[in-house]
Amino acid sequence: MPIIDFHAHILPGADHGSDSSKTSLAQLALLRAAGVDAVVATPHFYPHMHSMQSFLEHRARCAERLVRHLTPAYPTAFVGAEVLACEGLEHMEGLEHLAVKGTRTLLLELPFSGWGHGLVETVLQIREHGFTPVLAHVDRYPRASIEEFLHEGILAQLNAELFAHPLRLRAYRRWIENGAVVALGSDLHKAPKNGHRPFQKMCAKLGPEADRIFARTAELLEGAVPLTPTEAPQKEEALVLT
Ligand SMILES: [Fe+2]
């Protein structure tokens, strides 16, 4: 079963996750060291700050910067977005462009300052419109608030950092066991020393459950279009990783 990082900020210059191709390649090397076979690049999309067109153009330029250096030695990279959910998002023109390219799978980040039932309705409407919304890092929010979405069958992603805290992890076991968790993410920002360890640890702790989750992720990525590696990476970037 391919090991898939569903949530990572690895596009150079796309957001605060990576400031350069050099950083992005170091991030991909970390993910490779963690055993990751495929990663979804999910730059932040803030509906109150970004226009769809400027975001898509900027993201395309950032992806182009990265793709020049990709080789088959790196994990396969897909492009999506981490979209901040807000009421009315279901009406946003061009929302399909924020799904993982080639799919209708949409990573949604909930606000940290709380929300009303209207936001649940929004996410359900998005699903009605043929998307498969996945809630990003549900481990970061009050569990009762997330339950409102999960009761409706909305899907969830967990961050690797959760697995460093055994007591906290216990609280999320049920969501893993009942199939609500369909994706795992490094949520990698920058390229910290030993940055491969959290993802590695998560896979080790989950054991066979990780494979079940990755199988669900693979289904969500069916038809996804990867960034295509080039035959000859630029030498100076390749040297960084040796
Ligand atoms: Fe993120």
Side-chain angles (χ1 to χ4, degrees), residues 112-186:
F112 286 100
S113 52
W115 56 83
H117 189 73
L119 197 58
V120 180
E121 286 303 319
T122 286
V123 174
L124 294 178
Q125 278 299 310
I126 288 172
R127 187 174 63 182
E128 280 291 300
H129 294 173
F131 291 94
T132 304
V134 178
L135 301 181
H137 42 58
V138 288
D139 43 296
R140 289 196 183 171
Y141 305 90
R143 269 185 300 147
S145 307
I146 294 296
E147 289 282 1
E148 268 196 89
F149 293 91
L150 302 192
H151 279 213
E152 300 288 350
I154 297 297
L155 306 174
Q157 174 257 310
L158 290 176
N159 265 8
E161 67 196 18
L162 170 67
F163 292 77
H165 308 283
L167 290 179
R168 282 188 60 214
L169 176 60
R170 202 175 298 165
Y172 295 94
R173 278 266 161 217
R174 193 164 53 85
W175 294 350
I176 295 170
E177 284 161 12
N178 71 14
V181 175
V182 295
L184 303 168
S186 65

Side-chain angles (χ1 to χ4, degrees), residues 7-9 15-16 42-44 46 82 107 109 136-137 140 157 159 186-189:
H7 180 167
H9 298 267
D15 59 16
H16 55 288
T42 52
H44 288 284
Y46 297 118
E82 179 179 11
L107 183 66
E109 176 181 35
H137 42 58
R140 289 196 183 171
Q157 174 257 310
N159 265 8
S186 65
D187 204 355
L188 194 58
H189 288 74

Side-chain angles (χ1 to χ4, degrees), residues 8-19:
H9 298 267
I10 54 160
L11 281 190
D15 59 16
H16 55 288
S18 167
D19 57 359

Side-chain angles (χ1 to χ4, degrees), residues 4-240:
I4 303 166
D5 180 355
F6 191 69
H7 180 167
H9 298 267
I10 54 160
L11 281 190
D15 59 16
H16 55 288
S18 167
D19 57 359
S20 63
S21 301
K22 185 174 157 184
T23 300
S24 296
L25 293 176
Q27 292 177 306
L28 287 171
L30 285 172
L31 294 177
R32 176 54 92 196
V36 169
D37 298 300
V39 55
V40 185
T42 52
H44 288 284
F45 177 86
Y46 297 118
H48 58 290
M49 284 171 58
H50 296 127
S51 84
M52 183 65 76
Q53 191 182 346
S54 63
F55 175 83
L56 294 176
E57 287 171 2
H58 181 58
R59 187 182 67 174
R61 282 193 298 273
C62 298
E64 180 53 38
R65 279 174 70 187
L66 180 61
V67 87
R68 285 202 291 268
H69 306 294
L70 286 182
T71 74
Y74 293 113
T76 302
F78 300 96
V79 174
E82 179 179 11
V83 181
L84 180 65
C86 58
E87 288 186 34
L89 184 68
E90 71 272 32
H91 303 301
M92 178 170 260
E93 193 106 353
L95 193 57
E96 66 275 14
H97 299 301
L98 301 179
V100 182
K101 194 172 176 194
T103 77
R104 298 281 285 182
T105 301
L106 188 64
L107 183 66
L108 292 179
E109 176 181 35
L110 295 168
F112 286 100
S113 52
W115 56 83
H117 189 73
L119 197 58
V120 180
E121 286 303 319
T122 286
V123 174
L124 294 178
Q125 278 299 310
I126 288 172
R127 187 174 63 182
E128 280 291 300
H129 294 173
F131 291 94
T132 304
V134 178
L135 301 181
H137 42 58
V138 288
D139 43 296
R140 289 196 183 171
Y141 305 90
R143 269 185 300 147
S145 307
I146 294 296
E147 289 282 1
E148 268 196 89
F149 293 91
L150 302 192
H151 279 213
E152 300 288 350
I154 297 297
L155 306 174
Q157 174 257 310
L158 290 176
N159 265 8
E161 67 196 18
L162 170 67
F163 292 77
H165 308 283
L167 290 179
R168 282 188 60 214
L169 176 60
R170 202 175 298 165
Y172 295 94
R173 278 266 161 217
R174 193 164 53 85
W175 294 350
I176 295 170
E177 284 161 12
N178 71 14
V181 175
V182 295
L184 303 168
S186 65
D187 204 355
L188 194 58
H189 288 74
K190 315 255 186 322
K193 194 168 186 286
N194 297 323
H196 62 294
R197 289 210 177 131
F199 202 95
Q200 212 173 32
K201 191 170 184 175
M202 170 171 66
C203 293
K205 283 209 167 178
L206 283 170
E209 280 169 324
D211 277 345
R212 283 202 293 277
I213 294 171
F214 292 135
R216 301 286 302 281
T217 316
E219 283 170 21
L220 294 174
L221 293 181
E222 229 172 77
V225 181
L227 294 176
T228 312
T230 51
E231 294 282 313
Q234 290 192 357
K235 273 190 177 150
E236 67 275 24
E237 297 286 2
L239 281 173
V240 170

